[in-house]
Amino acid sequence: LSLVPTALGCIGQPGAGESVHGAAIGHRSAAARRQRGGTRSSRESDWDPELRSRMEDFAAGEPTDFDDVSLVLPPMTRFRFRVMTHVRGIAYGQTNSYGEVAERVGHPRAARAVGSVMANNPVPILVPCHRIIAASGQLGGFSSPQGPRLKKRLLELESGVTE
């Protein structure tokens, strides 16, 4: 488990070799991540210094993509796989609505189902679920300890807006 403190909060990445098995973002500190994540069975290590560095760059506002990062994901339905694949391809600084994603994966009436997939995304940032917003332009939810506030910060960061 690699824990990376950033301006966006602590980013936790369990993984091994060249594959990420999960990710969490938005914990105020590594200690808070450990407390909420039940990481007692995982030892902390800097198992992928290059990925850690890229995450730090991303959190500092440098345009960064993670398309080449190998992911080990749990088994999933074909619909979920298609949603995750589509969302992973959304470029830095771009957004799609839940309905647009549903349309693009061949299920135009499944916007709520897309929201459910995003709410259960095991690898935020790597599959950038923060880039999925409501058709009205509202943010929608974000499953991190900081919730939609962090989603807003991520979208502002990617658009070059600074507070």
Side-chain angles (χ1 to χ4, degrees):
L1 176 67
S2 177
L3 292 171
V4 182
T6 73
L8 299 171
C10 186
I11 300 174
Q13 302 166 323
E18 296 181 10
S19 298
V20 176
H21 302 174
I25 183 171
H27 293 276
R28 299 250 180 245
S29 67
R33 168 67 183 117
R34 278 185 222 100
Q35 198 171 45
R36 281 195 70 173
T39 59
R40 291 180 212 135
S41 63
S42 299
R43 282 192 300 202
E44 287 180 42
S45 69
D46 194 7
W47 64 272
D48 192 334
E50 179 190 346
L51 181 58
R52 175 192 33 82
S53 178
R54 289 169 66 189
M55 282 290 180
E56 291 168 336
D57 292 346
F58 172 82
E62 294 183 34
T64 308
D65 76 52
F66 300 98
D67 293 350
D68 61 325
V69 175
S70 175
L71 303 176
V72 176
L73 299 173
M76 60 184 75
T77 66
R78 195 165 129 178
F79 173 78
R80 185 172 183 205
F81 176 80
R82 291 174 77 186
V83 169
M84 296 284 284
T85 300
H86 174 77
V87 171
R88 190 164 193 204
I90 298 172
Y92 185 95
Q94 302 297 309
T95 60
N96 278 183
S97 72
Y98 295 98
E100 286 174 320
V101 174
E103 178 87 27
R104 290 181 180 156
V105 301
H107 295 272
R109 302 178 110 174
R112 285 186 182 201
V114 168
S116 179
V117 172
M118 295 295 89
N120 293 293
N121 176 9
V123 284
I125 307 300
L126 303 173
V127 173
C129 52
H130 64 280
R131 296 178 186 152
I132 309 305
I133 60 173
S136 66
Q138 293 183 314
L139 295 181
F142 192 57
S143 56
S144 85
Q146 297 177 43
R149 187 176 65 229
L150 179 57
K151 184 173 186 172
K152 181 180 180 189
R153 285 180 65 200
L154 288 165
L155 293 172
E156 289 173 346
L157 181 81
E158 291 188 11
S159 70
V161 173
T162 57
E163 292 182 22

